[in-house]
Amino acid sequence: MNFPSEPFKIKVVEPIRRTTREERDRLLKAAGYNLFRIPAESVYVDLLTDSGTSAMSDHQWAGLMLGDESYAGSRNYYHFEEAVRSIFGYTHVIPTHQGRMAENLLFSTVVKPGMCVPNNIHFDTTRANIEHQGAEAVNAVVKEAYDPHNESPFKGNMDLVRLEETINRVGPDRVPLVLLTITNNSGGGQPVSMANIRETRALLTRYRIPLFFDACRFAENCFFIKEREHGYKDRSILDIAQELFSYGDGCTMSAKKDGLVNIGGFLSLNDDRWAQDITNMLILVEGFPTYGGLAGRDLEAMARGLREVLEEDYLAFRVGQVRYLGDLLDHAGVPILKPVGGHAVYLNAKEFLPHIPQDQYPAQSLAVALYRDYGIRGVEIGTVMFGKRDAETGRTIHPELEMVRFAIPRRVYTNMQIAYVAESIIDLHRRRDGILGLRMVYEAPMLRHFTARFEELDHAMPVRQMVV
Ligand code: P70
């Protein structure tokens, strides 16, 4: 096994606090068993998300001091524009404060009611932003993505047959664009191959439909291409990224992931007309086009982060650390989604807790137990996040995968802390029979996982018939 050690040393430390089980139990009750509602200071290892939680380098921190806070034409915007153009290659570079604003601007401009936007698998904010326009968000990922045991190297790939069927079902005129999420977050952080991107491009060219990337974790995707795809072993990550983006017409980006910053995002695209409409909307809701809801210093940090994320030592460590956690769990017989993805390890809650039926939220129950017993915070990616109510029966339609995700912030935790996480999960797995299910007592109409509240069931409820 090859787990590269940290290619950095630590210059500044941030203390973290241990809490007692009693304290965490109290906090959980007060939070309605929703881990988004737990104060971060009461979390020991926080793997809720890899978004906005990265540690910046000394070079990025130094860049903050060089922030030019002019309203228009800040030099940092030009540095940022140059960094984005050199990697992504699209004409227009539109900064936003984070990824979902890029999504909102794009979809509110080009998606109309009754339209349809396919993706390998939409992430929650992407789906919500499309549905908010009265359009349909369709997942067309390859079937293997739904099999946690299938170890195919590119489980984020688009299923071209399903994609073409979708286009023909709704009619190409009603598909304003197709997205590819790299890596595919909701499917386990799995990469998309260059071959699949090329084929998707070719198919869409026939229908004259633009291809966009949801590029949050593009560098990790490119690293997998280098590791796994024939012909890319000797190519640099920059070179691979440039080829990859050349097959698209634009991208949305949450730079809180592979931009290595705590806040920031952008939209980049070639179409002049779309860019003009988006820019007008940007001025209305986000800010002038040379800052887009950010400070000049944020743009500088992003420009520097986008270059650093392409370094191979960094990426080998990054992807290696995630794999290290996955392999420790896998070797101890804990059911995880395989192969291990680029930014996170996903526990397969259906197998971890076979005694909890899906309408008692097994993945949420597992995330709650792990926080209560060990102070570790993961996030549910299952029925709470993606379950839908059937309009006629009112029953929940469950997603195929029921997972707890442990997303690893970039350059933040040592391998020792990762080993602690693995030991804790392995320990809980031995005691899994004692974990109880949950009942949802409040849900918001949209993106309910952020604010939902639950009650703990005091005994396992009989399994009701489930709609799958
Ligand atoms: C995550 C966060 C954000 C995201 C994404 C993809 C593929 C767009 C966005 C939106 C969200 C999250 C989830 C659970 C807990 C905390 C945060 N993903 N596309 O962790 O970007 O957040 O900048 O608006 O993954 O996966 P933004």
Side-chain angles (χ1 to χ4, degrees), residues 49 98-100 103 123 125 185 214 216-217 254 257 405:
T49 176
Q98 64 181 80
R100 70 197 70 181
E103 292 169 352
F123 198 61
T125 55
N185 188 9
D214 179 340
C216 305
R217 300 179 179 86
S254 168
K257 287 87 168 166
R405 184 189 75 174

Side-chain angles (χ1 to χ4, degrees), residues 300-340:
E300 188 62 36
M302 209 171 11
R304 294 178 183 215
L306 285 169
R307 294 192 200 283
E308 278 177 20
V309 79
L310 302 173
E311 285 168 15
E312 251 163 71
D313 278 357
Y314 157 75
L315 280 170
F317 161 71
R318 160 70 179 157
V319 171
Q321 188 179 50
V322 178
R323 195 172 296 156
Y324 174 56
L325 175 59
D327 284 357
L328 289 175
L329 296 175
D330 191 30
H331 291 155
V334 176
I336 61 166
L337 187 141
K338 292 206 276 190
V340 176

Side-chain angles (χ1 to χ4, degrees), residues 11 16 53 60 95-96 175 276 329 337 387 394 399:
K11 188 165 356 216
I16 45 178
T53 51
Q60 286 176 291
T96 60
V175 182
Q276 192 178 46
L329 296 175
L337 187 141

Side-chain angles (χ1 to χ4, degrees), residues 422-442:
E423 267 176 35
S424 304
I425 297 172
I426 292 165
D427 192 46
L428 185 67
H429 187 237
R430 285 194 203 103
R431 303 183 294 107
R432 60 190 179 276
D433 291 348
I435 299 176
L436 297 170
L438 295 163
R439 180 156 49 109
M440 197 184 281
V441 294
Y442 166 73

Side-chain angles (χ1 to χ4, degrees), residues 36 48-51 97-101 103 121-126 181-186 214-217 252-257 263-265 343 346 379-381 385 405 407 449-450:
F36 284 102
L48 181 76
T49 176
D50 61 324
S51 178
H97 77 277
Q98 64 181 80
R100 70 197 70 181
M101 180 51 93
E103 292 169 352
I121 305 186
H122 290 278
F123 198 61
D124 60 348
T125 55
T126 324
T181 304
I182 54 171
T183 58
N184 184 26
N185 188 9
S186 321
D214 179 340
C216 305
R217 300 179 179 86
T252 58
M253 172 82 185
S254 168
K256 297 172 72 172
K257 287 87 168 166
I263 194 74
H343 67 297
Y346 295 66
V379 71
E380 196 259 17
I381 302 213
M385 190 179 278
R405 184 189 75 174
H449 47 290
F450 290 118

